[in-house]
Amino acid sequence: MESCLNGKPEHHEPIEVEDICRNLQDEFAALPAQVGPPMRGGGGVCHRSEFTIKPPVFQQDVSQSENLQVYLRIRPITAAEGAESQSCVRMEGSDTVILRDPRSFLTNRQGDKPPPQTAQRFTFTQVFAPESSQRTVFEGSVHGLVRDVIQGGNSLVFTYGVTNAGKTFTFVGPEHDSGLLPRSLSAIFSSIEGRLYSRSDLKPQRCRDYSRLTAEQQTAQITSKRNLLRLFFPRLTSQNRRA
Ligand SMILES: Nc1ncnc2c1ncn2[C@@H]1O[C@H](COP(=O)(O)OP(=O)(O)OP(=O)(O)O)[C@@H](O)[C@H]1O
């Protein structure tokens, strides 16, 4: 840990991607073999009617009143991933998911006897199902934070997940179905509509401070901004001059 914090971790042997994959699978199976209460498979997602649940390894029990809120969005399974992948993830209420060991599906494909069904339970502030719309995710997660920011609060929002998990889709989204960032900006700009200061005699300084400009300083500012625009967008500014 120390070497990670102080700089690049030292690797004595080359790490191969295949090794990492194998290790992760072993980790899944190497949990303490404590058997939890049997659970009825509901919603038609689980193939078996019962399976054992191992004790949670990551129980992030985050209440709304805490500063840190962790949301999980499950994206729809793609055709390439196959419908059977859907069976790996099952929602239990609005804040919990059950993950099943994917090896059981792989072994089934090869015709071997499937290993005992094992699962892990993860709890979040809220879990969004694959069919959740961008609007539902925004209103259920970030909307309240944006309101706080408009009132002067501070918030940090980030997405975290493996490649192809849906981070960009959730954060930015396609043009016709915008994600968290455009929705947040739209809420912020709507909130200041009609309250914009239209004169150009204030100049922001550092973070929160500002200075009032004299008439000469305003002229100098306007000239320097026009020059910059001409430099970067010569065609646009010459069209404006003609109009
Ligand atoms: N909720 C969703 N509904 C429909 N399609 C989705 C959803 N989430 C992700 N996708 C699709 O899944 C694919 C991967 O999503 P995305 O590019 O957002 O992943 P990512 O986590 O940003 O990946 P990377 O880290 O590699 O950039 C994209 O084709 C995206 O359109």
Side-chain angles (χ1 to χ4, degrees), residues 21-220:
C21 185
R22 194 181 60 221
N23 288 343
L24 283 178
Q25 288 195 332
D26 287 347
E27 229 171 77
F28 202 104
L31 288 166
Q34 228 173 299
V35 175
M39 206 181 113
R40 297 278 154 201
V45 177
C46 299
H47 294 313
R48 288 184 172 192
S49 63
E50 297 195 333
F51 58 90
T52 57
I53 297 189
K54 289 181 170 172
V57 285
F58 170 73
Q59 183 93 18
Q60 181 89 46
D61 191 8
V62 197
S63 76
Q64 290 289 336
S65 61
E66 284 185 40
N67 284 334
L68 180 67
Q69 293 171 19
V70 186
Y71 296 88
L72 172 73
R73 183 182 200 179
I74 307 168
R75 75 153 165 74
I77 297 290
T78 63
E81 287 160 342
E84 63 189 11
S85 305
Q86 189 82 54
S87 310
C88 291
V89 187
R90 188 164 71 82
M91 276 180 73
E92 191 187 61
S94 62
D95 64 355
T96 302
V97 282
I98 307 283
L99 294 189
R100 290 172 67 205
D101 186 349
R103 274 187 305 181
S104 58
F105 308 116
L106 297 177
T107 330
N108 273 343
R109 256 193 228 145
Q110 291 157 4
D112 298 339
K113 188 170 172 264
Q117 294 288 301
T118 53
Q120 291 173 296
R121 176 185 276 122
F122 296 84
T123 304
F124 298 85
T125 305
Q126 194 180 333
V127 178
F128 295 101
E131 60 275 13
S132 302
S133 67
Q134 298 280 62
R135 187 196 174 117
T136 305
V137 174
F138 173 70
E139 289 182 353
S141 60
V142 173
H143 199 183
L145 296 180
V146 174
R147 275 199 296 260
D148 287 350
V149 166
I150 291 167
Q151 309 282 326
N154 290 315
S155 292
L156 170 71
V157 177
F158 66 94
T159 51
Y160 181 78
V162 294
T163 184
N164 218 31
K167 301 179 294 294
T168 312
F169 185 94
T170 295
F171 216 69
V172 184
E175 212 168 317
H176 60 278
D177 196 13
S178 50
L180 298 179
L181 183 61
R183 280 170 199 269
S184 302
L185 291 175
S186 165
I188 290 169
F189 282 111
S190 307
S191 78
I192 57 173
E193 218 173 337
R195 292 198 282 147
L196 286 177
Y197 191 76
S198 54
R199 290 164 62 188
S200 51
D201 61 346
L202 296 181
K203 185 175 167 67
Q205 274 186 338
R206 292 181 225 103
C207 251
R208 296 174 170 215
D209 214 357
Y210 64 88
S211 62
R212 196 172 287 279
L213 304 178
T214 62
E216 294 77 44
Q217 285 170 328
Q218 284 180 54
T219 313

Side-chain angles (χ1 to χ4, degrees), residues 3-4 6-10:
S3 61
C4 288
N6 292 338
K8 281 188 177 171
E10 281 179 25

